[in-house]
């Protein structure tokens, strides 16, 4: 018991010392305008390097990610069908697919699927 407490104390002390050293050594002493600006062939940038992006593309990415995860959840349901109670499997599948369809209907109502704009 004593050795475990001693080992924990040593690990916590060592971790704290390493974090303090990393914090102290990582600080920059000076800020150079040329080094902090974006690089364009050695010249000053002609325009802003931070271009605005379309929120529509971000929403499409999020929708794709959500449906990709949903497919990853649906595929194992097919394999489980033979090993589970058919009534329980059917109700779980129907509830899951209804939740997906309600989410799709909500996105359609909000106009997130209208990509022509």
């Amino acid at each position: 018991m004593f050795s475990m407490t001693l080992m924990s104390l040593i690990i916590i002390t060592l971790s704290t010392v390493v974090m303090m050293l990393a914090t102290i050594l990582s600080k920059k002493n000076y800020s150079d305008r040329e080094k902090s600006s974006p690089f364009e062939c050695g010249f000053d940038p002609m325009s802003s390097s931070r271009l605005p992006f379309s929120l529509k593309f971000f929403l499409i990415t999020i929708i794709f990610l959500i449906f990709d995860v949903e497919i990853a959840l649906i595929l194992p349901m097919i394999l489980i069908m033979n090993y589970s109670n058919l009534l329980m499997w059917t109700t779980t599948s129907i509830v899951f697919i209804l939740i997906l369809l309600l989410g799709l209907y909500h996105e359609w109502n909000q106009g997130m699927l209208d990509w022509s704009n």
Side-chain angles (χ1 to χ4, degrees):
M1 181 70 176
F2 178 71
S3 64
M4 198 159 122
T5 307
L6 181 65
M7 197 58 122
S8 297
L9 186 64
I10 291 172
I11 290 173
I12 289 172
T13 307
L14 186 62
S15 300
T16 305
V17 168
V18 169
M19 285 192 294
M20 294 280 234
L21 281 174
T23 303
I24 292 169
L25 295 176
S26 69
K27 298 287 183 187
K28 286 187 175 181
N29 293 337
Y30 62 91
S31 177
D32 189 12
R33 186 181 80 83
E34 290 296 325
K35 286 189 177 182
S36 62
S37 68
F39 184 71
E40 280 190 20
C41 302
F43 300 107
D44 285 333
M46 300 294 268
S47 62
S48 174
S49 64
R50 302 255 186 234
L51 299 175
F53 67 96
S54 174
L55 191 61
K56 199 74 151 168
F57 290 124
F58 178 72
L59 291 175
I60 290 171
T61 306
I62 296 297
I63 290 170
F64 172 76
L65 184 66
I66 290 170
F67 280 106
D68 195 36
V69 169
E70 290 166 358
I71 288 174
L73 292 173
I74 287 175
L75 286 177
M77 288 173 64
I78 298 168
L79 298 174
I80 292 174
M81 186 172 81
N82 293 334
Y83 303 112
S84 66
N85 183 3
L86 191 59
L87 180 65
M88 185 63 88
W89 181 86
T90 305
T91 55
T92 306
S93 300
I94 288 174
V95 167
F96 185 70
I97 291 174
L98 278 176
I99 291 171
L100 296 181
L101 287 175
L102 285 173
L104 180 65
Y105 178 72
H106 177 69
E107 290 169 357
W108 191 8
N109 256 359
Q110 296 296 316
M112 289 184 185
L113 301 178
D114 186 23
W115 299 335
S116 62
N117 299 7

